[in-house]
Structures are given as C-alpha cells and as structure tokens.
Amino acid sequence: MTRDFVASPDELASLAHRVLAGNWVEEERRGVPFAYTRPSPSRYPWQWYWDSCFAAVVWRRFDPARSRAELETLLSASRPDGFVGHTVFWERPVSLARRLFYNVASRSATMTATIQPPLLAWSWRIAVGDPAAEPRIVRHHEWLRGNRDLEGDGLLWLVQPDESGLDSSPKYDPVWSRRAHARAGFPFLVARNRRLGWDARRVREAGGPVLCEVVTNVLWGLARLAIGEPSITPALVDRLWDERLGLFLDEAQPGGLRPAVETWAALAPLALPDLPEPLGRRLVEEHLLDPKRFWLPLAPPSVSAAEPSFEPGRARGWARRYWRGPTWINAAWLLWMGMRRLGYLEQAGRVAMALAQAAGREGLREYYHPVTGAGLGATDFAWTTLAIEMADPDPSAARSYL
Ligand code: GLC
C-alpha cells in the first residue's frame, strides 16, 4: 500500500457529504413522502434498513433534518404491528427475475418480509433524539421481541443468512450449506421461507435452521440500551461466548450447531459498552491485533486471514458472495469503538488512518482489499462515509454512541 496520501478530516468530510447528497432521493409514493440515501445509486437503488441507519448517523454532521427524514422514512414503511423490512421498494417493485432471490411475499410487495439488524433506535439516539418518545420505534421493538426472541432471553433469531446483513459470510456455510446465500440452492430457501411466511417459530418447527447471530444481537443490544430497555449483553455472553476460543459464535437450532469460523462478527460485541472487560481484552489481544488473523494493513478484514475460506479480493461467483474477506467500514467502526473504550487508542487511530487513506485514494467503495487497500464493489457507497466518524470523532456524538 502506498503511504503518500491521507485524506484530512476536512477532505474526508466533504467527500462524505458529496456522496450522501448524491445518493439522496426525495419523492412521494401514493401520497406518502419518502426520503432516503441510496446505498449506491448504480447498484443498490432501494432503501436498505441498516444502510439507512448508518447513513443517518453520518447525515447528522451535515444536515440533521436528513437524519430524521431518513429514519422516519423507514418508520413510514413499518406495518401497524411494528415490522420493518430489510429492503423497502419505494419507487418500484422488484423485477420478476429478482423475485427468486428477494424475500418478498408477492411481486407487488412494497418491502421484504425479512429483517436486517435492528439498530434503528440506536441510530435515532445518535442522530435524532430519544427513541422512547417515538411510538413507532417502541412498536418495532415489540414486533422483534414477539416474533424473533424465540427463547425468551432477549436474543433474536434469524431465518436467513441475509437477515444479518452479512449475506454470504463463510460462517453460514455449515448452517445453510447448499442453500446459503448466493449458492445454487438459495432460491429454494427463499421459496420455503415464503411458504412459512418467514415466521421464525414455524421455520424452527419445520426443521430450521434458525440462527442466533452475533452482529444482529449486538446491534439489537445497542438499540435496546438506546431506548432504555434492559441490556442483553449478559444473555449474549451466556449463550454465544466460547471461553476456549475467546470468540462469540452463533448458535443454530434445532441441533445447537456453533460454527467456529472466525469472522469479524465474532469480535463485534466489542461495540457493547457493557461487555465485560476481560472478554473485550481477549477479543482484541488474541484476535484483532494478531497479524495472522485480523491485523492486516487495512484492518479488520471481514474474515480472519487464518481461515481457509478467507477470500480478500473481489466477491466472486455467479451471484456475488459478500463478506468473505474484504474490509467493510461499518464493521471497522463497530470494532474501533471497542478499541477506544478499552484504551487501545494508538491501534484505533491506525485503523482510522488506514481507512481515511484508502477512502481518499480509492473513493468511497463498498469494501476494500484488506492487504492492498484497493477499493472494490459498488462505488459511492453510503455507509463507507462512517470513515469520518473514525477520522474525526465528534466528542458529543462519541458519548451518544453508548
Ligand atoms: C449487500 C450487503 C448488505 C447491504 C446491501 C446494500 O447485500 O451484504 O449488508 O445491506 O448490500 O448495501
């Protein structure tokens, strides 16, 4: 990686603002106004739930009214029972070909019937105000508890790999095998779950798998803290911490499979303000700072370099297989938070600096090669603007992350 150019916080901020503004869309569907940031206009035109939450966080630096509009647009899509889909098709429904891969109940559906990591309340707290004062967010949490907390301990369960946002992560290979995301059998998983109404209890009864996934529950945990609900960190530690490996690992049901595939997700609880400190230190010292695993020039790769499944380059395959090695900026941001909280300031600064350098040189790409720093995937990618959160931590915002 060349070390000649690092975008200054001001340059990075203006790049971020330019990309967010270029991706912004503001229109009306049958009398309902909508406004949101496209994840990447050329590749991802619709409103994706977690992309919008990340974009709203960064919008607060430039135009807080847009943070609110972005998140209110997700809420205007919500059903009366509080469900909010993974993708909302504001402008037009999905094409016939895409229906095979998209989790829509019918072609005219206005959003998917699946979820994405539910961090809305947390991003509302960071960018807008008190989520407890917004009844639609309160109902959203009720829907999640009522439909996805299958064991009554507060943790949520997923019915498909793409619900985690980490679509083709190798940690899902042993769970969904040929029906994993972007594998030939994936349309069969979609078709079966469509028959079961994407109802997690019915999916479990029909033989599963359902998955208690780490990143989803970390972001759900942050959303719960943001709205004033009890912490689920103790439940996360009880169920998903692996003391021998020093990692957080998913649990599938029925059967209790815990794939020991080392991905950034296994470290994601670092973002939780109440993670017990000894666990956080093990995540950082035994894994994150290991040059053979995650401490590559552009850290953190989405999969440990020591995993046989590590593919640091472009997402390959007949459909793109994402999250199998490259570095994604939302992941970096969550781990960076934990490094700072635990006092690894120099290392957190190094992550921020390397990302600012890659973003300045390559533009705001969807993900980057963790060794060479080359920009990969979609261009003008909205959540990559989170690089500014690390390059220029805003003290008041830093407080409200927690
Ligand atoms: C890819 C990512 C997913 C993201 C979406 C839109 O499918 O895996 O996390 O939300 O693109 O950016």
Side-chain angles (χ1 to χ4, degrees):
M1 210 188 295
T2 51
R3 299 224 163 254
D4 48 358
F5 175 68
V6 177
S8 71
D10 283 351
E11 285 163 332
L12 199 54
S14 58
L15 179 59
H17 193 181
R18 205 163 59 240
V19 166
L20 290 181
N23 295 13
W24 185 252
V25 47
E26 203 167 323
E27 281 173 43
E28 221 183 79
R29 182 179 70 195
R30 285 186 235 113
V32 182
F34 63 85
Y36 69 91
T37 313
R38 295 182 164 125
S40 166
S42 54
R43 183 162 310 156
Y44 304 111
W46 294 299
Q47 184 175 28
W48 267 262
Y49 180 115
W50 80 333
D51 298 66
S52 262
C53 293
F54 294 127
V57 167
V58 184
W59 264 122
R60 85 192 182 299
R61 291 172 174 260
F62 310 121
D63 188 347
R66 288 203 170 175
S67 303
R68 178 185 275 274
E70 176 105 43
L71 298 177
E72 284 197 334
T73 299
L74 274 183
L75 293 173
S76 342
S78 65
R79 283 195 320 232
D81 64 0
F83 172 81
V84 184
H86 169 298
T87 314
V88 187
F89 311 105
W90 285 106
E91 286 101 325
R92 55 184 180 282
V94 287
S95 64
L96 196 56
R98 277 194 151 124
R99 188 174 177 259
L100 281 179
F101 312 99
Y102 275 66
N103 301 300
V104 286
S106 73
R107 232 198 108 190
S108 58
T110 51
M111 63 179 159
T112 63
T114 44
I115 60 169
Q116 242 186 348
L119 68 152
L120 204 160
W122 184 46
S123 42
W124 188 278
R125 162 75 66 193
I126 297 170
V128 181
D130 180 5
E134 172 48 69
R136 290 173 299 178
I137 304 184
V138 173
R139 272 204 300 281
H140 180 42
H141 279 210
E142 280 161 10
W143 186 90
L144 290 159
R145 261 193 300 279
N147 291 275
R148 295 307 187 91
D149 173 6
L150 298 184
E151 300 275 290
D153 58 0
L155 302 176
L156 305 182
W157 293 73
L158 304 182
V159 298
Q160 296 201 182
D162 42 321
E163 290 202 303
S164 68
L166 315 178
D167 305 353
S168 313
S169 172
K171 71 178 181 155
Y172 301 138
D173 294 351
V175 178
W176 278 281
S177 50
R178 275 171 309 166
R179 292 183 169 197
H181 188 263
R183 299 284 312 272
F186 184 66
F188 296 100
L189 178 68
V190 174
R192 192 195 62 151
N193 285 343
R194 181 177 290 131
R195 259 196 325 276
L196 297 169
W198 287 279
D199 176 321
R201 291 196 175 83
R202 288 178 66 197
V203 172
R204 181 167 64 174
E205 276 153 28
V210 290
L211 189 74
C212 188
E213 194 276 330
V214 178
V215 171
T216 308
N217 281 294
V218 166
L219 293 168
W220 169 233
L222 288 163
R224 288 174 53 114
L225 293 175
I227 205 169
E229 292 167 353
S231 174
I232 50 167
T233 303
L236 193 80
V237 171
D238 265 11
R239 185 177 284 277
L240 302 183
W241 172 250
D242 184 305
E243 175 62 25
R244 191 178 61 83
L245 296 175
L247 292 170
F248 284 85
L249 300 175
D250 302 343
E251 178 187 323
Q253 285 292 347
L257 181 68
R258 310 270 314 274
V261 182
E262 196 174 343
T263 72
W264 81 274
L267 317 181
L270 277 171
L272 293 167
D274 57 349
L275 181 72
E277 189 176 323
L279 273 52
R281 294 207 180 277
R282 284 194 67 187
L283 293 175
V284 173
E285 287 171 18
E286 294 175 22
H287 304 275
L288 184 53
L289 298 183
D290 180 348
K292 291 201 187 60
R293 294 186 154 87
F294 291 98
W295 206 238
L296 304 186
L298 192 68
S302 44
V303 175
S304 155
E307 283 292 338
S309 56
F310 175 62
E311 293 171 19
R314 205 167 281 279
R316 284 180 302 175
W318 60 274
R320 284 167 209 279
R321 303 217 294 161
Y322 292 118
W323 300 98
R324 299 183 76 90
T327 298
W328 297 68
I329 280 38
N330 59 345
W333 180 54
L334 292 167
L335 302 190
W336 168 90
M337 266 174 227
M339 283 196 264
R340 291 196 11 131
R341 192 184 63 255
L342 294 169
Y344 299 94
L345 298 182
E346 194 241 300
Q347 293 89 339
R350 186 184 138 179
V351 165
M353 177 82 96
L355 293 172
Q357 184 182 354
R361 194 187 55 235
E362 309 279 319
L364 300 183
R365 301 295 299 267
E366 190 176 7
Y367 43 85
Y368 297 85
H369 194 294
V371 178
T372 66
L376 302 168
T379 51
D380 294 333
F381 193 66
W383 87 43
T384 298
T385 58
L386 287 169
I388 191 65
E389 293 296 313
M390 293 176 267
D392 182 20
D394 159 353
S396 64
R399 240 194 338 270
S400 59
Y401 285 169
L402 311 180

